[in-house]
Structure formats: structure tokens, C-alpha cells
Amino acid sequence: MQDFDDDDLHVDLTSLIDVIFMLVIFFIMTMSFTLPEIELNVPTSTTAEENDAASNSFSVKIDSTGAFFIDQKKLTLDELQKEEQEKPHPFLYRCL
């Protein structure tokens, strides 16, 4: 009997790699990259009013020490109450 060496045995994978590479190229080229589009008919409102509360209001900020600020101006509680009586627009209170 002949003694086989491991060095003499090998499998040629070149053709298998070529076929796999061609399949990868084929699937990439035939793949669709666009997202499906859905057409929506959104109803419009004829009676809705815009909410301008944020633009017609004053923002009062309260920090962790309890100080009041309007437009980065520090106010006391008495000054804040006076501002509330003078301004016709609502006040939004925000804690910092």
C-alpha cells in the first residue's frame, strides 16, 4: 500500500468561491433599495383654531431655591403678583 501524505491532498475552492461571488453580485444587483410608499389622504380641519397660548403668555421660571424669573429677570413674590395683575396674558410656570 501507498502511504499518502497530507501535503498532497487539497481541495480547489476557487470555482466554489467564484460561484458564490457571482450569486452575491446577482442578489445585490436585483435588490430593491427603495422603501414602499403609502399614499395617505389626511382630512383637513376647517374649524380648528391655532393655539397661540405659548406666544401670548409669559413664562415664569422657578429655580431650586424658589426664586422667580421672567425673561431672566429675578423677581420677588410681590413683584410677581404685581406683574400678574398688570399683564392680561396668562402666565406659564416652569420649575428648573
Side-chain angles (χ1 to χ4, degrees):
M1 278 190 102
Q2 283 185 332
D3 196 19
F4 292 107
D5 291 335
D6 286 340
D7 295 337
D8 294 337
L9 297 176
H10 71 283
V11 177
D12 188 21
L13 296 176
T14 307
S15 60
L16 180 64
I17 292 172
D18 287 344
V19 169
I20 291 175
F21 184 66
M22 294 300 286
L23 285 172
V24 168
I25 290 175
F26 172 76
F27 287 122
I28 288 175
M29 295 298 290
T30 58
M31 198 167 106
S32 176
F33 290 107
T34 60
L35 296 174
E37 295 179 11
I38 299 173
E39 186 175 327
L40 296 176
N41 294 325
V42 180
T44 58
S45 175
T46 57
T47 60
E49 297 177 7
E50 289 187 28
N51 187 2
D52 291 333
S55 63
N56 290 334
S57 63
F58 291 96
S59 179
V60 177
K61 297 177 183 174
I62 306 169
D63 67 0
S64 61
T65 63
F68 301 101
F69 295 91
I70 295 179
D71 296 328
Q72 299 178 356
K73 178 183 155 189
K74 188 174 181 179
L75 300 173
T76 64
L77 184 58
D78 294 333
E79 292 172 335
L80 179 63
Q81 290 173 346
K82 186 178 177 183
E83 287 283 333
E84 285 180 334
Q85 292 172 355
E86 291 176 359
K87 309 277 187 194
H89 301 293
F91 281 74
L92 297 176
Y93 295 91
R94 297 183 181 153
C95 296
L96 300 177

